[in-house]
Amino acid sequence: METPFDWVTVIIFAGMVVLFLQRSSMDEPPDTIWQYLPPAVGCAFANYLGNEGYVVPAVAVLIAVGAYLIRVLHVRMPGA
């Protein structure tokens, strides 16, 4: 946990874990475990890029991860 990318990606990943656990305990979950793979890989890739000094591509991947979470997993922001 040395760079901001480490912190940001771990926070996003932890949020995805909580979302998965919450939804998987439902009687009929709205999504499957496979739908969490692309954003998890995206977090790892963004962290790698950020740690290697490729800040702009890393931020672009994090934006893509956020878009995926909103469009596919239907994550809503608090108060929205």
Side-chain angles (χ1 to χ4, degrees), residues 27-53:
D27 290 333
E28 293 184 29
D31 42 49
T32 65
I33 192 169
W34 302 109
Q35 290 175 309
Y36 291 85
L37 182 62
V41 170
C43 282
F45 188 55
N47 189 24
Y48 170 77
L49 290 174
N51 289 342
E52 293 297 317

Side-chain angles (χ1 to χ4, degrees), residues 1 3-15 43 46-47 58 62:
M1 301 295 289
T3 68
F5 289 100
D6 295 334
W7 287 98
V8 170
T9 55
V10 166
I11 289 169
I12 292 171
F13 188 78
C43 282
N47 189 24
L62 286 175

